[in-house]
Amino acid sequence: GILAGVFLILAGKTRGIIFLIVAGITVAVNDAFLHYILKNIFARPRPCHVVDILQHIQHCSNSFSFPSNHAGNSFAVAALSALSYRNSILLVGALAVLISISRVYLGQHYPSDVLAGAACGILMGYIGFRFYQWILKALPDRVLSLSWTPPNQKS
């Protein structure tokens, strides 16, 4: 994710910078919705609090389990990226799946937690994509064609 962000900024295109801002907003909204609203509604304990053998794999968070924020946030970015940059779908999809699997493997979530998180993330990624499209349509072409030059470099 960080390398992709660096690439978009170094490419110097306004669209890439706008995409990174929208991605940050999308993840922030998704994360807050999952953590502060849905987790408190469902209040499901994590498997590492319930299954004794899982308590020693990794530190067990004190927040609730359902839905998974990691899965939600990674799928939000994956959906936004795949819709905005069609060639990225395999890479971002694979990364989101691996992150989700790791949450179950480490005993932090049940499979249904990551599935629910992924579903919420995909929906939020789609909403983020529509917001990104709206911004691109609202900006004049001359703004979108601007390139960003890092400090200490002459254009």
Side-chain angles (χ1 to χ4, degrees), residues 9-61:
I9 290 172
L10 292 179
K13 299 296 180 189
T14 304
R15 289 176 196 266
I17 294 169
I18 293 169
F19 173 82
L20 290 176
I21 293 168
V22 169
I25 292 168
T26 301
V27 168
V29 170
N30 186 67
D31 193 70
F33 176 70
L34 297 181
H35 185 76
Y36 294 108
I37 297 173
L38 293 184
K39 281 187 188 277
N40 289 321
I41 289 172
F42 293 102
R44 176 196 249 177
R46 291 180 180 268
C48 50
H49 287 297
V50 177
V51 180
D52 289 337
I53 197 168
L54 295 176
Q55 293 174 354
H56 304 289
I57 293 178
Q58 183 189 29
H59 169 74
C60 195
S61 173

Side-chain angles (χ1 to χ4, degrees), residues 44 46-48 51 53-54 57-58 65 68 70-71 96-117:
R44 176 196 249 177
R46 291 180 180 268
C48 50
V51 180
I53 197 168
L54 295 176
I57 293 178
Q58 183 189 29
S65 181
S68 167
H70 279 87
V97 167
L98 289 173
I99 289 168
S100 298
I101 290 170
S102 77
R103 306 313 296 160
V104 175
Y105 177 78
L106 293 172
Q108 297 293 315
H109 292 284
Y110 296 101
S112 58
D113 299 343
V114 297
L115 290 174

Side-chain angles (χ1 to χ4, degrees), residues 77-89:
V77 171
L80 174 61
S81 299
L83 291 167
S84 302
Y85 300 97
R86 303 284 178 170
N87 293 337
S88 71
I89 191 167

Side-chain angles (χ1 to χ4, degrees), residues 112-146:
S112 58
D113 299 343
V114 297
L115 290 174
C120 290
I122 290 168
L123 177 61
M124 194 63 70
Y126 176 76
I127 293 168
F129 171 68
R130 295 305 303 246
F131 180 57
Y132 176 64
Q133 286 182 314
W134 178 80
I135 291 172
L136 293 181
K137 283 183 181 180
L139 290 175
D141 287 338
R142 61 179 161 51
V143 172
L144 294 175
S145 64
L146 292 175

